[in-house]
Amino acid sequence: MADPRVNIIDKRLKNIRRIIAVSSGKGGVGKSMVATTLALSLVKRGCKVGLFDLDFTSPSTHIILGAEGVQPCEEKGLIPPVVHGLEYMSLVYYSGNHAAPLRGADTSNALIELLAVTLWSDLDYLVIDMPPGIGDAVLDLIRFVKRIEFLVVTTSSQLAFETVKKLGGLLQELGVPVLGVVENMKMTESTNLQQQTEALGLKFLAGIPYDPKVEAAIGDAENLLKTEVARKVKAIAQTV
Amino acid sequence: MHEWALAEAVIATATKIAEQEGLKQVTEVTVKIGEMQDVERGIFRFALTQLKPENFRNTKFLLTKSKASFKCRICGNTWLFKKTKLDKETAEAIHFVPEVAHTYIKCPKCGSPDFEILEGRGVWLESIKGAK
Ligand SMILES: Nc1ncnc2c1ncn2[C@@H]1O[C@H](COP(=O)(O)OP(=O)(O)O)[C@@H](O)[C@H]1O
Ligand SMILES: [Mg+2]
Ligand SMILES: [Zn+2]
């Protein structure tokens, strides 16, 4: 007759002010890095923040955060543990360090399950780290989270930007708010993608330089916040 | 204990359907519980009775059980889920998110994790009866 879970999602997200999905048509452009740094920067600004890793098959945010030995608390639902000041949820609590070979329908089911049973507190922001592409996660968020807003990440490569154009275009067509586009791992001062972004009617949020110090800061939230990436992302955090 | 969250979902959904069907009183709600999720029935039933709204005053909650079965996409083998074969931690992970079965369970015939969950996954609202 009916899947009961879908009717409780609104209630679970009711007390969250803003829900931001960090997304891209491509993988490897820095979605997880930007999502994690954005969430941490919002915490530093004094906001109440959640971070939800929806990249079930290739989760990364737990590694960037250095989240180890934490687990949700089971009460009348699942209460996410607090990691570096943010409420943190990921499938890795259940899949561990193993592969999670999930097909589309499974991804969707796991996403609905976690949305239905996770009890976030009253948050200012829930930042969602997305898998690459325009797949189940994007479609499900649009379907179940009416207030979803997207922040789209690209690199300076036209290859990445072309996929971002498609994602941005679809979101615009569906009337889903796009906060803007971030050009990550910039190696030059070129404003080419900024111009292309603005020509699409999308806001260009920031260019983040390629910062070789990022690698050493993986797993170390305090040091991550000292990188050039964090400096730029903090500026984005001021504007959202 | 996270049974409460699922019970809340059942009540929200049954309430919505009762409204759509114009049922003033809901007399019976049948919920199918998949073996994989292995919801603790006592807690689940208790949560349902605690959470029910006024027009569910006399509602009978029927909890049926559905066996979990899998079909391998590689070799076509079908088999039944056996919780007793899993260690406690794995069973608990599957209890929270049944899809992680693909992480821990393999086709007993060919070893593939690429199988379909035919039935018995989780909580499903099966039917609702009432008076207009
Ligand atoms: N601005 C940057 N400078 C240097 N390295 C970066 C930067 N942004 C991301 N990275 C690195 O690039 C790789 C891909 O980033 P990641 O966030 O995992 O991408 P995605 O989530 O889009 O797949 C990671 O190794 C990450 O540490
Ligand atoms: Mg990622
Ligand atoms: Zn097989």
Side-chain angles (χ1 to χ4, degrees), chain A residues 20-23 29-42 51 61 64 127-130 151-154 180-185 205-209 214 224-225 229-230 232-234 236-237:
Chain A
I20 300 173
V22 178
S23 200
V29 296
K31 293 180 295 298
S32 300
M33 190 52 75
V34 169
T36 309
T37 331
L38 177 63
L40 289 168
S41 303
L42 289 166
L51 177 63
T61 53
I64 301 175
V127 178
I128 304 181
D129 183 29
M130 299 291 285
L151 189 158
V152 183
V153 183
T154 182
V181 174
V182 173
E183 182 182 350
N184 188 27
M185 297 194 254
L205 288 171
I208 303 175
V214 160
L224 186 62
L225 284 173
V229 176
K232 290 287 185 183
V233 171
K234 268 179 218 156
I236 302 173

Side-chain angles (χ1 to χ4, degrees), chain B residues 15-32:
Chain B
T15 304
K16 187 174 157 193
I17 294 173
E19 251 169 52
Q20 282 166 356
E21 296 188 355
L23 303 177
K24 292 226 169 59
Q25 285 296 322
V26 175
T27 53
E28 192 182 289
V29 172
T30 307
V31 182
K32 192 164 77 178

